[in-house]
């Protein structure tokens, strides 16, 4: 029994260390699929334009953050965790380890002090508080762990939008044509405010809460994947093409790359409701994940 | 590339025009949501902003050294979205005689008109480029309101060297944000009809 407790304590410590490393990597390095999309965007802009100037600084910043191992963007955002753990572990232990790792990563400067009490305005200084970090945690049958992390900044979070169809203002009905209009409107409304070029996560259906959650889960997909649902795969491609015709460009300076990707999922809805929930992700698209062995050591990066 | 060096004067900023790429050298003060709300309630800043630059930024700042050598180092410092300060910015420009505002995402009509009337410009920094921009901050000179507002919202007095930005609202009534909005709006309306 004592041996078991000791080994568990050892594994807990290792999971904690691994979680800090996952947070560090998420905050300071962009995944390969995102870097490829940024480089593609950069090469599309005309030389000497303000758009090219912006994309150049963005690329310099990606390199510098990695070399210095410091936050790519000072807004390290809402910390969003998706955690899967072996059944013999206790939920509260895993949850607590995530909170401890977030607090430690904040102390190390990988995360900004970013959780503010909404009533008093007081910053906890640790990124831990009611609802912070956001954690989706579930046990699974495997004896290993999987953690995925997203850091979603406030600037892009603020330009997310939810539509209830039919929407008379933009003439959007309850079908994919209407969904298309909502997405175009969300991109137009966001202009340069969400640190474009951006990426959209969209949910068709669900309720107001599940719709936004599912729209954000689209960001766990790789930019170069293909939607398994044919209609959605087509719409995703069409939206990127059409959004880029708007000419808003990087930072809203005008230019060819307004959107680098659009990922769409669908949930069932009740007959009375038809929501389209659009989440916007900035170019500083920080998501990472890792598989950990049963001892808590990082075995493999997921992105 | 235009060098914009302290002291910042009305004449200097009136000479800038839309699309100019500038590099700022001198002192900037960070100020974002809490500071703008507080200033607009009639409070005076703890240090004069006259002819100064306000930077919409909530930096990551780490304590450095100990004892007499105790200080701060900015480790990440990109701009935050400026439009949230739109209700307050024009009043702050007028009352405190601010010459430039650095931020991202652009600002609205009230700020555009205040820039024109009182001789101020809006300088767009590259959002998310926290490391490139932190490298341009050579010194943290002081911090105010740290206890009251917390680190991201405090007023940090920063010495910057060749800090890059683009003029997107000039002091002559021009706004790139208004132009892009209008161009993208007509394209958007065309796409809705398709």
């Amino acid at each position: 029994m004592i041996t078991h407790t000791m080994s568990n304590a050892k594994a807990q410590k290792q999971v904690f260390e691994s979680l800090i490393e996952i947070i560090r990597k998420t905050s300071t390095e962009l995944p390969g699929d995102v870097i490829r999309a940024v480089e593609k965007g950069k090469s599309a802009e005309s030389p000497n334009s303000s758009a090219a100037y912006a994309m150049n600084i963005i690329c310099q910043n990606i390199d510098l953050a990695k070399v210095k191992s410091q936050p790519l963007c000072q807004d390290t955002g809402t910390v969003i965790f998706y955690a899967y753990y072996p059944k013999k572990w206790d939920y509260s232990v895993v949850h607590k380890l995530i909170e401890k790792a977030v607090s430690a990563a904040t102390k190390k400067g990988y995360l900004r002090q970013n959780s503010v009490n909404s009533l008093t305005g007081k910053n906890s200084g640790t990124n831990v508080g009611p609802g912070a970090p956001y954690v989706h945690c579930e046990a699974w049958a495997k004896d290993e762990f999987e953690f995925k992390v997203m850091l979603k900044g406030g600037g892009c979070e603020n330009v997310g939008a939810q539509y209830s169809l039919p929407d008379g203002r933009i003439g959007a009905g309850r079908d994919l044509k209407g969904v298309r209009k909502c997405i175009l409107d969300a991109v137009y409304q966001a202009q340069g405010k969400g640190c474009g070029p951006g990426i959209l996560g969209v949910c068709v259906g669900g309720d107001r809460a599940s719709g936004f959650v599912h729209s954000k889960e689209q960001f766990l997909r790789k930019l170069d994947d293909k939607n398994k649902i044919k209609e959605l795969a087509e719409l995703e491609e069409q939206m990127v093409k059409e959004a880029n015709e708007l000419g808003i460009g990087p930072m809203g300076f005008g230019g060819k790359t307004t959107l680098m990707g659009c990922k769409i999922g669908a949930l069932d809805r009740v007959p009375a409701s038809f929501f389209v929930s659009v989440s916007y992700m900035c170019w500083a698209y920080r998501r990472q994940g890792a598989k950990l062995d049963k001892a808590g050591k990082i075995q493999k990066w997921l992105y | 590339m235009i060098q914009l060096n302290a002291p910042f004067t009305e004449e200097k900023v009136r000479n800038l025009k839309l699309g100019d790429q500038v590099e700022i050298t001198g002192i900037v003060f960070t100020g974002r949501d809490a500071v703008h709300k507080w200033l607009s309630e009639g409070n005076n800043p703890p240090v004069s902003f006259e002819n100064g630059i306000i930077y919409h930024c909530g930096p990551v700042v780490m304590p450095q050294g100990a004892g007499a050598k105790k200080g701060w180092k900015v480790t990440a410092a990109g701009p935050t979205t400026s439009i949230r300060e739109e209700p307050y910015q024009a009043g702050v420009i007028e009352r405190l005689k601010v010459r430039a505002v650095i931020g991202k995402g652009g600002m609205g009509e009230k700020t555009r008109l205040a820039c024109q009337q009182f001789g101020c410009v809006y300088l767009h920094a590259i959002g998310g480029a926290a490391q490139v921009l932190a490298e341009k901050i050579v010194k943290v000179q002081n911090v105010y309101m740290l206890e009251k507002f917390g680190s991201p919202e405090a007023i940090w007095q920063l010495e910057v060297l060749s800090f890059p930005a683009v003029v997107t609202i000039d002091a002559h009534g021009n706004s790139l944000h208004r132009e892009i909005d209008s161009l993208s709006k007509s394209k958007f309306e065309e796409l809705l009809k398709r």
Side-chain angles (χ1 to χ4, degrees), chain B residues 1-159:
Chain B
M1 190 66 68
I2 295 168
Q3 300 302 321
L4 187 61
N5 300 332
F8 309 108
T9 60
E10 178 165 1
E11 192 195 350
K12 270 187 196 170
V13 305
R14 292 260 184 217
N15 281 333
L16 297 171
K17 59 182 197 313
L18 221 58
D20 281 347
Q21 293 172 6
V22 301
E23 283 184 354
I24 305 146
T25 297
I27 290 169
V28 304
F29 297 97
T30 66
R32 48 180 293 172
D33 308 72
V35 169
H36 279 81
K37 179 173 182 289
W38 180 75
L39 290 174
S40 73
E41 286 162 357
N43 296 296
N44 285 317
V47 54
S48 172
F49 284 181
E50 193 168 336
N51 290 318
I53 298 182
I54 291 181
Y55 180 20
H56 296 157
C57 171
V60 179
V61 190
M62 302 298 285
Q64 298 276 303
K69 285 188 176 166
K70 202 167 178 229
W72 304 93
K73 186 169 171 53
V74 174
T75 58
T80 191
T81 308
S82 300
I83 198 69
R84 296 193 306 270
E85 315 320 334
E86 180 64 11
Y88 315 121
Q89 198 67 69
V92 168
I93 290 169
E94 179 182 4
R95 184 165 73 91
L96 303 176
K97 301 184 174 62
V98 172
R99 287 293 163 221
V101 173
I102 308 172
K104 75 167 169 88
M107 299 197 73
E109 282 303 284
K110 269 176 75 181
T111 304
R112 180 182 71 79
L113 293 168
C115 282
Q116 184 176 23
Q117 190 177 351
F118 305 110
C120 181
V121 288
Y122 178 78
L123 305 171
H124 200 303
I126 305 306
Q131 287 308 320
V132 168
L133 299 177
E135 291 246 305
K136 311 296 180 189
I137 296 168
V138 292
K139 197 176 174 196
V140 177
Q141 292 191 342
N142 214 334
V143 59
Y144 309 92
M145 318 298 288
L146 181 60
E147 190 54 34
K148 186 175 171 69
F149 295 143
S151 180
E153 295 269 7
I155 299 173
W156 294 92
Q157 181 175 326
L158 308 173
E159 189 182 328

Side-chain angles (χ1 to χ4, degrees), chain A residues 119-287:
Chain A
L119 303 180
T120 64
K122 193 85 188 157
N123 192 319
S124 75
T126 60
N127 278 313
V128 177
Y134 175 92
V135 179
H136 174 98
C137 208
E138 59 182 270
W140 64 2
K142 301 178 192 179
D143 67 353
E144 58 187 20
F145 299 82
E146 186 179 292
F147 292 101
K148 289 181 178 175
V149 186
M150 262 195 290
L151 303 177
K152 190 167 187 302
C156 66
E157 182 67 4
N158 287 351
V159 295
Q162 192 167 57
Y163 300 81
S164 175
L165 301 189
D167 184 318
R169 182 178 63 86
I170 53 173
R174 291 183 156 193
D175 52 21
L176 285 184
K177 283 181 187 160
V179 173
R180 166 185 171 267
K181 288 181 178 179
C182 296
I183 296 173
L184 282 173
D185 183 66
V187 177
Y188 164 68
Q189 298 289 344
Q191 291 282 311
K193 289 190 279 289
C195 284
I199 299 94
L200 296 186
V202 180
C203 174
V204 182
D207 62 23
R208 287 197 185 271
S210 66
F212 264 131
V213 168
H214 197 59
S215 72
K216 283 188 187 166
E217 286 170 353
Q218 301 305 311
F219 295 132
L220 297 172
R221 292 170 53 192
K222 283 190 181 174
L223 277 175
D224 47 13
D225 76 353
K226 197 173 167 106
N227 201 315
K228 289 188 184 92
I229 302 168
K230 189 170 162 278
E231 301 94 295
L232 294 182
E234 284 168 9
L235 188 59
E236 287 176 358
E237 244 179 68
Q238 182 188 358
M239 292 324 304
V240 174
K241 191 174 153 284
E242 290 186 344
N244 287 336
E245 288 177 32
L246 292 172
I248 295 165
M251 292 296 132
F253 286 173
K256 297 193 178 68
T257 312
T258 300
L259 211 58
M260 297 191 289
C262 178
K263 302 291 172 190
I264 309 173
L267 296 177
D268 283 2
R269 58 184 177 83
V270 297
S273 301
F274 195 123
F275 294 112
V276 178
S277 309
V278 183
S279 287
Y280 187 105
M281 178 64 91
C282 56
W283 69 259
Y285 180 178
R286 290 152 290 169
R287 78 148 131 64

Side-chain angles (χ1 to χ4, degrees), chain A residues 84-105:
Chain A
Y84 301 88
Y85 59 93
K87 271 186 178 150
K88 65 177 177 184
W89 281 63
D90 187 59
Y91 166 84
S92 64
V93 171
V94 179
H95 195 273
K96 197 81 201 158
L97 282 172
I98 291 173
E99 288 186 347
K100 265 178 69 185
V102 164
S103 177

